Amino acid sequence: MSSTSSPLPYDRQAVINLDAIRANVRHLREIAAPARVMAVVKADAYGHGAVPVARAALEAGAGWLGVAHFTEGLALREAGIDAPILAWLHTPDTDFAAGIEAGIDVGVSGWELEPVVAAARQLERPARVHLKIDTGLGRNGCPPALWEDLVNRAVEYQELGLLRVVGVFSHLAVADEPHRPETDDQVDRFREAVAVAENAGLDLEVRHLANTPGTLSRPDAHFDMVRVGLGIYGLSPFETQTPEELGLVPAMTLRGRVANCKQVPAGQGVSYGLNYLTTEPTTLVLVPLGYADGIPRSVTGVQVAIGGKRYDLVGRVAMDQFVVDLRTNDAGELLGEEVILFGPGPDVPDAQDWAVGAGTINYEIVTRVSPRVPRYYTGTADEQDDGGEAAPVAVAEELTASAAEQAAAAAQVRAALAAPDERNTDSAGDAGAVLA
């Protein structure tokens, strides 16, 4: 792999390829068609940067954006993004009024319905609601025994003009294990829940159940829209299939620089606990990333790439750094050389390698990369227009506008959202036309 150059100096850096995001969204759209695609950009787009990723996904044809919390959706609105957004995770302290005023759709599992209605009444503006049924995951979602009551209450509020039920949705539990029969059960329960809602008189705009693994392996779960998260970042949800086999391109490369390089004798202990001892005279390399940057402290048995070769990470990961054993004293002077922890391509480790080494999943590896690691974006609109290299962007410059700019953007959003139903219906319709 030839690494992406950056005109900015860096000690550590996450390079995000927005062209990969676009390619993944287009590929997933083709798989899901004629269903629409919701690009899930919660948790700062799985660590990739919510605003630039959201823009890239929309440019590639995603019709909706998905977030966990209203605060995440409000940040997208403040950045000038006016596409349909759904937020689905709330507490009694959630500011429903702020979300409704910004035109963000509300996921409702039960208890939220009355607070949402109260906020809508206060604003004199109907809320756009997606009712969630628990089809077997056992987290959020209305229990099946209470589903008919929730639907009937929503119908009453809709008749009063306080809300509009836009959709019905649920979430798959084991779609990443395609052989599991529980997914069949969840699809069946979802169909039953949709039938109850439609028989009660609800005219649903979208029915959505499939996540990334469901999109890739269960066409019967696509319905009107799929919610893709991991897939748009180019990672595989399946243990036995690589991103390449699924037609996906990993979007993140995590890299650093060699901070120190020294020769040591056999028997040299490495890092806290001294649980690693060199077996022969060798060269140790220090890399300035640690668990404060999101590197799992528990990781073992992983490698990094330096100069096109792979070397073992040894000893315990510290807060700010880890050590690599080159197992040679003939490596030459490496101070300042690039170290690639993971990324796309055959010559470097990938996020799945790190997930195995940490006993976790690749979702966590990319998502936990901390804000202390600057993001650098390639494949930006400017790069595409003039053929040059993407402008380097520090995190603060890319994601934070001045107070005046934020106020102006918020004013534009409020004006654009004056008629929320027309706006969202039109946007979704356009997306459907693209996918037809």
Side-chain angles (χ1 to χ4, degrees):
M1 168 188 170
S2 59
S3 63
T4 303
S5 62
S6 167
L8 280 182
Y10 64 89
D11 297 323
R12 67 202 71 79
Q13 192 176 71
V15 180
I16 313 300
N17 184 347
L18 296 178
D19 281 340
I21 298 289
R22 295 184 185 95
N24 294 330
V25 170
R26 286 192 292 267
H27 181 59
L28 290 162
R29 282 180 54 215
E30 292 174 359
I31 292 172
R36 306 166 194 169
V37 168
M38 174 187 289
V40 179
V41 294
K42 64 180 181 176
D44 198 29
Y46 291 35
H48 292 66
V51 171
V53 166
R55 288 173 176 157
L58 293 169
E59 290 164 5
W64 292 63
L65 299 173
V67 297
H69 305 290
F70 269 139
T71 51
E72 297 172 314
L74 291 171
L76 296 174
R77 289 285 187 249
E78 289 171 0
I81 294 172
D82 63 358
I85 299 173
L86 171 64
W88 52 72
L89 186 57
H90 321 292
T91 75
D93 290 329
T94 293
D95 189 347
F96 290 106
I100 295 169
E101 186 174 26
I104 298 173
D105 290 11
V106 190
V108 169
S109 296
W111 71 264
E112 309 98 330
L113 188 60
E114 276 66 35
V116 166
V117 166
R121 183 179 283 114
Q122 172 191 342
L123 293 170
E124 297 183 346
R125 171 180 184 154
R128 286 172 52 91
V129 167
H130 299 232
L131 300 179
K132 185 172 186 181
I133 174 74
D134 181 1
T135 55
L137 182 59
R139 299 189 317 193
N140 224 340
C142 180
L146 303 178
W147 178 246
E148 187 171 355
D149 176 69
L150 175 63
V151 168
N152 290 336
R153 285 156 53 208
V155 169
E156 292 176 7
Y157 291 128
Q158 181 166 285
E159 290 174 349
L160 293 172
L162 293 169
L163 59 82
R164 180 182 171 221
V165 179
V166 177
V168 168
F169 74 118
S170 190
H171 195 50
L172 296 174
V174 293
D176 56 333
E177 302 176 70
H179 63 281
R180 297 278 294 269
E182 293 93 334
T183 301
D184 295 328
D185 297 336
Q186 286 197 261
V187 172
D188 291 342
R189 291 171 190 152
F190 185 70
R191 292 185 185 279
E192 294 168 1
V194 167
V196 169
E198 292 178 335
N199 290 339
L202 294 176
D203 182 15
L204 302 176
E205 181 180 327
V206 285
R207 306 153 188 84
H208 46 110
L209 172 64
N211 49 9
T212 291
T215 300
L216 293 168
S217 67
R218 295 295 300 247
D220 59 331
H222 289 177
F223 294 93
D224 303 307
M225 183 166 68
V226 297
R227 302 186 307 272
V228 289
L230 190 73
I232 71 174
Y233 307 106
L235 301 179
S236 171
F238 305 119
E239 287 188 359
T240 59
Q241 288 182 282
T242 66
E244 291 75 20
E245 290 170 338
L246 297 171
L248 301 172
V249 182
M252 179 187 288
T253 299
L254 183 61
R255 63 188 185 180
R257 298 279 192 195
V258 173
N260 195 22
C261 182
K262 64 183 180 183
Q263 295 182 350
V264 300
Q268 172 69 53
V270 176
S271 195
Y272 293 122
L274 300 179
N275 57 4
Y276 177 83
L277 301 176
T278 60
T279 58
E280 58 188 341
T282 187
T283 302
L284 298 180
V285 159
L286 190 67
V287 183
L289 289 105
Y291 58 79
D293 303 294
I295 308 303
R297 184 176 182 270
S298 60
V299 72
T300 59
V302 298
Q303 295 182 318
V304 300
I306 305 174
K309 298 180 180 179
R310 295 196 188 195
Y311 300 99
D312 294 331
L313 183 157
V314 298
R316 189 168 291 161
V317 173
M319 183 180 291
D320 310 296
Q321 55 205 283
F322 64 81
V323 177
V324 174
D325 188 348
L326 302 186
R327 302 188 191 279
T328 178
N329 272 333
D330 298 322
E333 179 53 56
L334 294 177
L335 185 64
E337 285 294 309
E338 180 181 71
V339 181
I340 300 177
L341 283 70
F342 61 79
D347 300 326
V348 297
D350 59 22
Q352 183 61 26
D353 293 328
W354 281 76
V356 171
T360 185
I361 54 177
N362 52 12
Y363 299 70
E364 181 179 347
I365 295 300
V366 292
T367 303
R368 67 185 293 158
V369 176
S370 82
R372 188 167 81 162
V373 179
R375 270 58 169 178
Y376 174 76
Y377 294 91
T378 66
T380 64
D382 288 341
E383 179 186 37
Q384 292 178 336
D385 290 344
D386 62 20
E389 186 173 43
V393 281
V395 174
E397 294 172 337
E398 171 67 22
L399 302 181
T400 305
S402 68
E405 289 171 334
Q406 289 183 359
Q412 291 177 350
V413 169
R414 284 193 293 271
L417 294 174
D421 285 350
E422 290 79 5
R423 174 189 63 82
N424 280 323
T425 302
D426 291 344
S427 299
D430 291 343
V434 170
L435 291 169

